[in-house]
Structure formats: structure tokens, C-alpha cells
Amino acid sequence: MSMLNVASILALGTLYLNDPIDDDWASRWVTSAWHENSGSFDTVVHGDHTYLRTTTDARYYTAARALSTPATSIGVPLAVQYRTGSPQTIDCGGTYIKLFSDPVLIIFLQC
């Protein structure tokens, strides 16, 4: 199972998203079950942080959230930071961030 803590998206010191995962995370995030082997998320507390956790190995997981403020990278650098971990040794898998102008596109996202 993988764990993800959404940190922040920064551009020249502007914070566009900082979402510490909590018990109400699902009201702010859109999840997708586009694949017949889609899995669901739950949360786990580790130290002072709460993380999203995948519930079943070898499944497809997709979650998205709109930024608090629309971001632009025109003429400025854009840095994206997040934390992920996998407490298991697995042969395949990955964590990806895809930025879209419209969070509704998550429904159609097949990654």
C-alpha cells in the first residue's frame, strides 16, 4: 500500500494548495473508479501527519483536487512538491501528478 501526503504547489512563493489530509478529505477531493480494478483510499496517521493510503495492492487509484487559487506558470517557474512512500517492496507501481485547468477532467482520467 502507498501513502500520499499532499504538500503544496508553489510558484515564486505563492501557495496555491496546502491540504493536510484529515477526516474530511473526501469532501474536497474527487476520486475516480474508471478502471475495473480501481481501489479506494482510507487514511492512516503516522506521527503528526495523516496520509491517504491505498487499501488494496495492485489496483488503480486516482484522486484530484482543485487549487485554492488558479495557478499560472507563464513567465515564472512552477515548483510542485509532494510526499509519497511505499512501506513495501513492490515490483511495479508509481505516483504521478498531472496538472489540469479543469478538475472535472478527473472523471475521464485514465492513468
Side-chain angles (χ1 to χ4, degrees), residues 7 9 12 14 34 43 48 63 72 77 86 88 91 101 104:
I9 297 177
L12 291 179
T14 302
W34 66 271
T43 58
D48 294 337
T72 181
S86 179
Q88 300 171 300
D91 293 333
S101 60
V104 174

Side-chain angles (χ1 to χ4, degrees), residues 8-71:
S8 58
I9 297 177
L10 298 171
L12 291 179
T14 302
L15 182 62
Y16 292 103
L17 175 67
N18 184 14
D19 192 346
I21 301 301
D22 58 22
D23 291 337
D24 196 37
W25 75 271
S27 70
R28 297 183 306 273
W29 288 79
V30 176
T31 58
S32 175
W34 66 271
H35 195 277
E36 64 186 44
N37 286 326
S38 291
S40 60
F41 295 96
D42 68 3
T43 58
V44 62
V45 176
H46 184 71
D48 294 337
H49 301 283
T50 302
Y51 298 88
L52 286 183
R53 178 173 60 181
T54 57
T55 56
T56 308
D57 292 340
R59 298 282 186 236
Y60 292 87
Y61 296 89
T62 307
R65 178 181 169 189
L67 299 177
S68 303
T69 306

Side-chain angles (χ1 to χ4, degrees), residues 84-96:
T84 183
S86 179
Q88 300 171 300
T89 303
I90 55 176
D91 293 333
C92 62
T95 303
Y96 310 93

